[in-house]
């Protein structure tokens, strides 16, 4: 488990956002990072939006009698990178090598999660009994369109 000093973590997060903004690539989330919270994970710093998507996905799994998914640092990085890529390129397309849900245009974590649950294929990914780990992200394009990504294993 990764242990972080919260003052150092806030400074690092601020530097990372500055680096992303100066690179011309939209930040995956422009909100404060939170560590853990009620979302099971590995001590990964999650934004409010990321935590909400994971919590809502796990609530859907609980309604189906399934155990919660655990936030995974590798999948979080993959989802964040893919959401940023989609937003930067304004191109909604799947990555390769991972089970993934993507979406575009939903205004909130609740809207994105509800949209995925209304699609049989996306719902099957979220409720996959073989999945134990999750990564999620949201990034905005230059015009403000939200691009969403969930990755599972």
């Amino acid at each position: 488990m990764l242990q972080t000093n919260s003052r150092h973590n806030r400074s690092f997060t601020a530097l990372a956002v500055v680096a992303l903004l100066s690179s011309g690539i939209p930040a995956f989330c422009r909100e404060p990072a939170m560590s853990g919270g009620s979302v099971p994970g590995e001590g990964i710093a999650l934004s409010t939006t990321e935590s909400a998507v994971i919590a809502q996905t796990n609530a859907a799994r609980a309604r189906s009698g399934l155990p919660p998914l655990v936030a995974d640092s590798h999948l979080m990085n993959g989802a964040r990178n893919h959401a940023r890529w989609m937003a930067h390129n304004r191109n909604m397309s799947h990555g390769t090598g991972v089970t993934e849900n993507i979406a575009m245009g939903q205004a909130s974590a609740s809207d994105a999660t509800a949209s995925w649950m209304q699609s049989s294929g996306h719902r099957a990914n979220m409720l996959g009994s073989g999945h134990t780990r999750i990564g999620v992200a949201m990034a905005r394009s230059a015009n403000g369109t939200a691009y969403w990504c969930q990755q599972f294993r």
Side-chain angles (χ1 to χ4, degrees):
M1 182 180 297
L2 178 64
Q3 298 286 330
T4 60
N5 174 301
S6 62
R7 183 182 311 144
H8 177 266
N9 193 29
R10 281 191 300 269
S11 297
F12 178 76
T13 300
L15 289 173
V17 169
V18 169
L20 274 173
L21 293 175
S22 65
S23 72
I25 298 173
F28 59 86
C29 251
R30 292 189 181 141
E31 9 179 315
M34 299 174 9
S35 186
S38 62
V39 175
E42 305 171 327
I44 301 163
L46 301 173
S47 73
T48 303
T49 299
E50 292 166 344
S51 293
V53 171
I54 294 171
Q56 291 167 21
T57 299
N58 282 337
R61 290 176 62 82
R63 287 189 298 273
S64 295
L66 296 166
L69 298 171
V70 176
D72 177 279
S73 59
H74 179 74
L75 293 174
M76 287 300 302
N77 288 337
R80 287 168 176 168
N81 288 336
H82 192 62
R84 280 193 304 260
W85 180 89
M86 289 190 299
H88 179 72
N89 292 290
R90 296 184 190 177
N91 180 341
M92 193 174 85
S93 60
H94 283 285
T96 58
V98 66
T99 301
E100 179 176 74
N101 287 344
I102 58 174
M104 179 184 81
Q106 290 77 2
S108 68
S110 295
D111 292 344
T113 305
S115 177
W116 285 321
M117 286 300 290
Q118 292 172 8
S119 159
S120 61
H122 294 103
R123 184 175 52 254
N125 288 340
M126 293 169 70
L127 302 180
S129 61
H131 296 145
T132 60
R133 317 289 273 177
I134 189 170
V136 302
M138 184 274 290
R140 292 195 182 276
S141 66
N143 71 357
T145 302
Y147 288 80
W148 300 86
C149 182
Q150 283 185 312
Q151 294 183 350
F152 307 92
R153 73 174 160 144

